Amino acid sequence: MENKTLEQRLNEEVLEFIGDRRSLQIASIDEEGVPFASYAPFAADDRSFYVVLSDIAVHGKNLLWEPRGSILLIEDEDSAEELFARRRVSYQVRAEAPEVNSVEWSTGVDLLEKRLGKMPRMLSELDDFRVFRLHPLSGRYVKGFGAAYALAGGALGQESVNHLTDGHRSRREKADEANDHQAA
């Protein structure tokens, strides 16, 4: 984005939006390539999201099998001005499950406990639960109709932001454009 002030403001909006959410939606893929959607409470640092999931849960099994996934943080329906254009942030992620008691595992548990209370630590001490670190690879921030931005690279809140300008046209405009190309 050419306007660095706008890019900084949008990054701050994304961070604030993430901070206002307490859970995220997770899309994962099983061994047969079948998608599965679920959710988990989360915490984040400047580079990753952390969740604690059971090995028994479908999304936990899936992320161990296939570390590629997607996450979505979305505005509550009740507070959205327009249901069809809810504010949201989504990321393609790479999941990793740090070894128990490693620095990354401890970081995740500490962040989760600080943000969500004692439950994450209690769960992390159970044999069938593990901490997952979700690394954002690329993303999208949607503020509403005509206000969508690609998020690429860097730490959370320090990403390259590009306004997505291709999109909404009426069917008539599209047909007229196709007819103009055929006539030329």
Side-chain angles (χ1 to χ4, degrees):
M1 178 169 274
E2 291 181 24
N3 184 335
K4 292 297 179 190
T5 303
L6 178 59
E7 184 174 66
Q8 181 178 356
R9 185 174 56 83
L10 288 168
N11 269 304
E12 289 169 4
E13 278 183 36
V14 168
L15 282 179
E16 183 179 335
F17 185 78
I18 290 170
D20 288 345
R21 312 274 78 78
R22 293 173 40 99
S23 63
L24 50 77
Q25 315 302 309
I26 301 173
S28 59
I29 304 166
D30 73 10
E31 295 177 19
E32 295 177 12
V34 177
F36 180 77
S38 191
Y39 87 99
F42 77 95
D45 62 15
D46 63 346
R47 294 226 170 258
S48 304
F49 295 87
Y50 294 88
V51 295
V52 60
L53 306 173
S54 172
D55 291 344
I56 298 169
V58 174
H59 53 298
K61 288 179 190 176
N62 288 353
L63 290 174
L64 288 173
W65 166 255
E66 172 55 72
R68 291 178 303 159
S70 182
I71 62 172
L72 171 68
L73 298 95
I74 189 164
E75 180 180 29
D76 294 334
E77 289 180 6
D78 294 341
S79 61
E81 288 183 32
E82 173 54 61
L83 189 60
F84 285 94
R86 290 162 62 190
R87 276 184 35 179
R88 58 201 176 271
V89 176
S90 60
Y91 287 100
Q92 300 301 312
V93 296
R94 181 181 45 81
E96 70 176 75
E99 292 294 319
V100 174
N101 296 322
S102 68
V103 171
E104 285 185 333
W105 182 89
S106 296
T107 297
V109 172
D110 290 346
L111 286 168
L112 286 159
E113 182 178 48
K114 182 178 179 183
R115 186 157 199 253
L116 303 168
K118 295 179 183 179
M119 184 61 74
R121 184 165 306 278
M122 289 174 21
L123 293 174
S124 71
E125 292 172 358
L126 298 174
D127 190 47
D128 64 305
F129 278 84
R130 62 180 79 228
V131 172
F132 283 87
R133 185 176 181 188
L134 307 174
H135 301 277
L137 304 173
S138 63
R140 186 164 286 196
Y141 174 47
V142 178
K143 293 175 61 167
F145 289 120
Y149 302 88
L151 306 173
L156 293 175
Q158 299 174 21
E159 296 170 297
S160 170
V161 178
N162 293 304
H163 187 214
L164 302 172
T165 55
D166 291 342
H168 308 300
R169 297 183 298 175
S170 72
R171 294 188 195 287
R172 172 168 275 156
E173 288 172 319
K174 187 175 180 180
D176 290 346
E177 184 178 301
N179 289 336
D180 289 345
H181 286 327
Q182 287 178 348

